[in-house]
Amino acid sequence: MRVESVIAVPASDTVGPTRLRLLTARTGKLPVVVVADGTSGPDYHVMTMTELQTALTNQLSATPLGEVLDLAGRSPRTPVGKADVAAAAVGTPVVENGRLIGVVLDDKVEVPEPTEQDLQRGAPSTRGQSAEPADAASGRKRGLWSRVTGTGR
């Protein structure tokens, strides 16, 4: 499990500035947490960027997010501390010293390192005759200008 940073948006914000904030976000892959004022502290509603953008489509710019997303009808996620991340479910908000620091996500999938066979596939000697330049048979090298203009023969 890992803690991924989030885009935190207050539920009292309106649709217009929130759309602008989502459009200027550094990435669309970050989770979005809508923070609402609850009876016993902040309520955290975790969403994906596409889910929130879909909900904001065709909404008036002055409408608060709490109304658009119907946060009163949704159950908020209970946050965990940084020490309890390993036992938390995916999508759980992580809070440290009363501040939202991220959301629990699965570990990143590791890409295997290339093997010798993978490296050999890209070597020029293994690509065959069609990958070599036409002038290779004559032993003459073509310069940059002759490649661009097609002259030099």
Side-chain angles (χ1 to χ4, degrees):
M1 297 296 202
R2 64 186 166 96
V3 177
E4 181 70 36
S5 60
V6 296
I7 299 172
V9 180
S12 59
D13 278 3
T14 56
V15 172
T18 303
R19 277 191 193 140
L20 181 62
R21 188 170 180 191
L22 296 178
L23 289 173
T24 59
R26 63 183 174 166
T27 180
K29 295 179 182 180
L30 289 177
V32 179
V33 177
V34 179
V35 183
D37 292 329
T39 55
S40 62
D43 289 338
Y44 301 102
H45 301 274
V46 181
M47 304 177 173
T48 63
M49 179 82 76
T50 55
E51 181 183 6
L52 184 58
Q53 286 176 336
T54 303
L56 298 180
T57 303
N58 297 328
Q59 298 295 326
L60 295 175
S61 292
T63 309
L65 288 180
E67 288 180 29
V68 171
L69 300 174
D70 189 28
L71 296 182
R74 290 180 170 220
S75 59
R77 297 271 184 133
T78 306
V80 297
K82 200 168 184 182
D84 301 324
V85 168
V90 172
T92 304
V94 180
V95 177
E96 185 175 41
N97 296 328
R99 189 176 66 97
L100 178 68
I101 61 169
V103 171
V104 176
L105 294 179
D106 285 331
D107 288 329
K108 290 184 179 179
V109 178
E110 291 186 23
V111 178
E113 291 188 28
T115 62
E116 278 298 316
Q117 291 81 16
D118 294 333
L119 296 175
Q120 289 297 326
R121 270 187 263 158
S125 62
T126 61
R127 285 189 265 170
Q129 295 281 344
S130 62
E132 297 194 18
D135 287 342
S138 66
R140 197 176 85 183
K141 289 188 176 182
R142 293 177 64 177
L144 178 62
W145 184 253
S146 62
R147 286 185 200 156
V148 172
T149 62
T151 62
R153 287 192 178 230

